[in-house]
Amino acid sequence: QDMKNELRRRHEVLALAEECAGIGVWDVDLKTLMLEGTEQFFRIMGLEPSSSPIAIDATRRLRFPDEQERVMQGFQQALESGADVFESEYRIRRPDGQTRWIFGRGRVIRDEQGVPYRYSGVDIDITDRKQSEAALRDSEERFRHVFAQGPLGIATAGTDFRFHAVNPAFCHMLGYTEAELTGMSFLDLVHPDDRKTCLAAGQALVEGGIPRLQIEERFVRKSGEAFWVAVNVAPIRAL
């Protein structure tokens, strides 16, 4: 009885871990092409959980048509090459219409003659990660557009105030080329009479004394002409 209770406890812990991590476990008989899976596996696929084996086509047909062929070809190549492990990312459309991204990783089990007869592994719902990656790419693309095409001068610099990157508008405003500005210090552009105030504010920003820097000061163009600018600086801090 104690052993049964322990096995039940372990099964409950495993099921909870699978659900929390979004991991579904499956096993396929490559001779009959029948699949067995955990409840979490069927939930990921949007299917009714089954305690009995089901035809593997019930899950394969959920894949997007173009990705179905890609995954199948990759798996077949893995089998023919003698590889024991195959993994892939693909999209499925659940019966309820939801589109989800899946990462699948399986291990091929072969008999004594090296013939594959089982394929077991896990499927992980990675939709949230894919959506975050897409949002990050979109944000980066917007930033690149603003950086390259925007009318405002934009620059990034290190804690030593030396420029890492400058945009075309910033170069045009100062009369320097990008190559000339890269590596120069922010203080090199500030009018000598304003450098002490600028340096103190910059150090306070770097040291965390102020959350951001907003200041009006004079810059000096390459030609020697001084002009007033409104400077807005925000720090990028490590998480």
Side-chain angles (χ1 to χ4, degrees):
Q1 186 64 36
D2 289 343
M3 182 175 293
K4 288 183 179 180
N5 290 337
E6 177 63 16
L7 288 174
R8 182 167 56 251
R9 186 189 68 82
R10 291 185 181 182
H11 176 75
E12 291 172 350
V13 170
L14 178 60
L16 179 60
E18 290 175 0
E19 183 174 358
C20 291
I23 298 174
V25 181
W26 45 263
D27 178 71
V28 178
D29 185 326
L30 293 177
K31 294 181 179 179
T32 64
L33 295 182
M34 298 297 287
L35 174 147
E36 295 182 73
T38 61
E39 288 188 12
Q40 178 63 14
F41 168 76
F42 287 106
R43 280 195 289 268
I44 289 174
M45 293 294 152
L47 299 174
E48 188 69 25
S50 173
S51 58
S52 302
I54 66 169
I56 193 172
D57 281 346
T59 59
R60 284 178 174 172
R61 62 171 172 255
L62 298 176
R63 297 173 187 162
F64 277 50
D66 56 333
E67 297 180 7
Q68 165 78 291
E69 183 177 355
R70 174 180 59 80
V71 174
M72 288 296 295
Q73 287 180 349
F75 177 62
Q76 193 60 40
Q77 289 171 0
L79 286 180
E80 294 172 357
S81 69
D84 289 333
V85 175
F86 174 70
E87 59 184 42
S88 62
E89 293 182 2
Y90 56 89
R91 290 170 299 166
I92 65 170
R93 182 169 288 111
R94 291 174 174 173
D96 63 6
Q98 285 192 58
T99 295
R100 309 296 292 181
W101 272 97
I102 304 297
F103 170 78
R105 190 173 196 272
R107 179 176 293 275
V108 176
I109 303 172
R110 303 173 185 269
D111 62 20
E112 295 178 354
Q113 287 71 44
V115 178
Y117 71 95
R118 299 200 74 81
Y119 183 46
S120 303
V122 297
D123 277 1
I124 305 174
D125 188 330
I126 58 171
T127 306
D128 290 344
R129 191 198 81 192
K130 284 290 188 178
Q131 291 175 341
S132 296
E133 290 174 351
L136 178 60
R137 286 194 300 270
D138 183 59
S139 176
E140 290 175 342
E141 182 61 31
R142 290 199 302 272
F143 174 77
R144 283 193 293 268
H145 177 75
V146 171
F147 190 83
Q149 306 296 333
L152 298 179
I154 303 174
T156 61
T159 54
D160 59 356
F161 308 120
R162 294 191 178 279
F163 295 114
H164 294 166
V166 292
N167 75 337
F170 192 81
C171 296
H172 179 74
M173 180 172 61
L174 274 302
Y176 289 94
T177 66
E178 180 181 356
E180 289 173 330
L181 284 171
T182 303
M184 286 179 62
S185 169
F186 188 85
L187 294 174
D188 293 336
L189 304 177
V190 178
H191 191 283
D193 293 346
D194 295 342
R195 284 177 186 166
K196 183 176 181 180
T197 301
C198 179
L199 179 60
Q203 289 176 335
L205 181 70
V206 170
E207 294 169 2
I210 55 177
R212 66 186 304 123
L213 172 61
Q214 292 178 300
I215 189 173
E216 292 184 355
E217 58 191 0
R218 288 166 292 178
F219 275 7
V220 179
R221 292 190 173 97
K222 185 178 180 179
S223 63
E225 177 188 2
F227 65 106
W228 283 92
V229 293
V231 179
N232 193 325
V233 184
I236 301 174
R237 304 190 187 279
L239 297 177

